[in-house]
Amino acid sequence: MTVYVRSLETAVPKTMLIQTEARDVFAAQPGLSRLGSRLVNTCFDSAAIDTRFTAVEELTRDHRADDPQFFDPDSGLLLNPSTKVRNDIFGREATKLFVEAARSAVNAAPELDLLDITHLITVSCTGFFNPGPDYKVVRELGLDPAVQRYHLGFMGCYAAFPALRAAKLFCEADPQAVVLVVCAELCSLHVRTSNDPDTIMGSALFADGAAAAVVTARSGSAEQSLLQLDHFETVLTPVGEDAMAWNIGDHGFEMVLGNYVPHIIDDHIVGALRPLLARDPELEALPYNSIRHWAIHPGGRSILDKVQSRLGLTGEQLVPARETLRNYGNMSSATVLFVLKHILEQEPEDGDERICSMAFGPGLTVETALFTKLRQAPGAGLVGQVPGQAAAEVSVP
């Protein structure tokens, strides 16, 4: 049975972060050591990011709060709110992104009624509340209260793949199933000033965003769909358990992102792809760059550099990942769906086009997937622009 992505839509908060301005604010914090100050400048400048988005409106330059919690624009100081304060904001602001992305994905499949949705899978690793985002999406969109709901929490940057894989399994088990998958992450809630290299790197890379897809195997869906879901695989690298992690601290969630991660990926990416490509003997025998499209999760510029070099990919094949990183930063689980959308918005070639995709996360976990691009996304616009976006420039992420 063939399973399709009928629609794929994205959403970001309204507040834009300018990377160079954010760098200057972080570099000016009084608690930084000389080494810490150098690391801030190096990490922000080498991240290959121009803009990011945040759900924390307080971070806008012109915003004034009676009791600032994240940033005091008068003193220029970054503040350090408790995990509870950060998580309370997640409950409010993440709900908006979950609902916005979900509504856009459903609206992009007009032949489907809201009550046709049989399963809902929500994904996030940047906050918790209950009744959770799955409940909120059902209520706000008016889905059938009996829809089967699942939430994948705290998995990290690769979590869109387990969500899509589960959606595929649901559709294979029930040919009439329609699955709504929604990823939303507010990574910027957890940034802070620090001399710790991992914390500095997280502050330079991470951002907020959401993406949603409608997945189905219903008869007649192929002609209207964007992607065919072909195969998924999961690989744990033999090293790297301590190199990438995501922990809960008293002042937000704490990223462990060791500088050896790109080297681990470089050493093990070929082995991680082997079981995926073995599922398609025609592709297995080809050079990697013969696969037309590569949707790589842009965990950072150096990770993309290592993947491109090791697999012998062309610069053009990495454009979707690099432009997503430059325009949006690393939005954890939602990011690879932004990359896929970028590929869908490219001018179509003759016939169907294969996509090899991968994402990396704690463990070190490598999730891989094969897709087939079926047609150009309807209403495709300029990549990197957000329709209707009225963003405000700000000084800190």
Side-chain angles (χ1 to χ4, degrees):
M1 179 180 297
T2 305
V3 181
Y4 303 97
V5 172
R6 173 62 187 84
S7 64
L8 175 59
E9 299 295 327
T10 60
V12 294
K14 66 181 182 180
T15 301
M16 178 184 285
L17 307 173
I18 308 301
Q19 184 78 344
T20 53
E21 295 181 0
R23 174 203 63 203
D24 292 345
V25 170
F26 271 84
Q29 296 307 299
L32 285 179
S33 64
R34 182 177 300 178
L35 174 60
S37 181
R38 288 204 302 268
L39 285 173
V40 167
N41 285 284
T42 299
C43 290
F44 277 75
D45 289 345
S46 65
I49 295 171
D50 291 341
T51 56
R52 294 178 281 167
F53 294 86
T54 178
V56 184
E57 187 179 4
E58 181 185 311
L59 297 181
T60 56
R61 176 179 295 166
D62 298 328
H63 188 271
R64 291 296 184 272
D66 294 335
D67 182 23
Q69 296 173 315
F70 285 83
F71 178 64
D72 183 352
D74 295 326
S75 66
L77 291 178
L78 291 165
L79 308 177
N80 196 18
S82 68
T83 300
K84 181 183 187 310
V85 168
R86 299 174 196 260
N87 196 65
D88 286 347
I89 295 173
F90 176 87
R92 181 179 70 249
E93 299 299 328
T95 295
K96 297 176 185 178
L97 278 185
F98 272 109
V99 171
E100 180 182 352
R103 181 176 285 117
S104 295
V106 173
N107 289 343
E111 79 283 2
L112 295 174
D113 186 88
L114 286 171
L115 297 181
D116 287 330
I117 296 173
T118 57
H119 300 71
L120 170 64
I121 305 172
T122 54
V123 179
S124 189
C125 69
T126 48
F128 299 94
F129 60 95
N130 201 5
D134 51 320
Y135 174 92
K136 298 292 187 180
V137 170
V138 170
R139 290 302 193 196
E140 293 291 335
L141 265 63
L143 304 183
D144 186 342
V147 66
Q148 296 185 34
R149 296 159 27 217
Y150 304 87
H151 181 70
L152 301 184
F154 221 66
M155 296 185 76
C157 294
Y158 62 82
F161 287 96
L164 289 175
R165 182 169 55 237
K168 185 174 187 286
L169 291 172
F170 291 147
C171 291
E172 289 171 341
D174 176 5
Q176 293 304 306
V178 178
V179 186
L180 176 59
V181 175
V182 195
C183 302
E185 305 285 8
L186 302 191
C187 305
S188 70
L189 285 176
H190 303 291
V191 300
R192 63 181 65 79
T193 182
S194 173
N195 287 300
D196 177 69
D198 291 349
T199 303
I200 292 171
M201 181 61 71
S203 298
L205 285 176
F206 285 99
D208 303 350
V214 173
V215 179
T216 187
R218 284 192 175 186
S219 177
S221 57
E223 294 77 9
Q224 299 171 304
S225 293
L226 309 177
L227 283 174
Q228 176 179 303
L229 301 182
D230 297 326
H231 306 293
F232 293 90
E233 291 290 343
T234 300
V235 170
L236 299 180
T237 62
V239 296
E241 181 176 350
D242 299 325
M244 187 184 296
W246 191 222
N247 303 310
I248 298 177
D250 292 335
H251 295 277
F253 299 172
E254 299 169 352
M255 167 59 65
V256 176
L257 190 61
N259 59 13
Y260 197 65
V261 168
H263 301 284
I264 296 173
I265 292 173
D266 185 31
D267 290 341
H268 298 285
I269 190 66
V270 170
L273 281 171
R274 191 171 294 120
L276 178 75
L277 297 180
R279 303 286 294 272
D280 191 323
E282 182 178 335
L283 292 181
E284 187 179 23
L286 295 174
Y288 296 115
N289 60 15
S290 295
I291 301 173
R292 182 167 290 158
H293 300 292
W294 287 80
I296 310 299
H297 167 68
R301 179 194 55 77
S302 58
I303 289 175
L304 294 180
D305 291 346
K306 291 293 187 183
V307 171
Q308 181 176 352
S309 175
R310 175 63 67 177
L311 301 183
L313 304 181
T314 66
E316 184 179 0
Q317 286 173 307
L318 267 290
V319 165
R322 293 194 189 276
E323 289 200 355
T324 298
L325 182 65
R326 184 173 69 250
N327 295 326
Y328 299 101
N330 184 341
M331 300 165 286
S332 192
S333 67
T335 320
V336 74
L337 299 181
F338 277 69
V339 179
L340 281 170
K341 186 171 176 61
H342 188 300
I343 292 172
L344 293 174
E345 291 177 344
Q346 294 177 356
E347 289 295 326
E349 304 284 343
D350 294 334
D352 294 338
E353 306 168 38
R354 301 308 296 277
I355 303 171
C356 188
S357 188
M358 64 183 71
F360 320 98
L364 205 156
T365 302
V366 182
E367 288 278 351
T368 59
L370 278 175
F371 307 113
T372 302
K373 176 183 174 182
L374 302 177
R375 63 178 176 85
Q376 186 181 20
L382 295 176
V383 172
Q385 290 190 345
V386 184
Q389 183 72 54
E393 293 188 2
V394 302
S395 297
V396 297

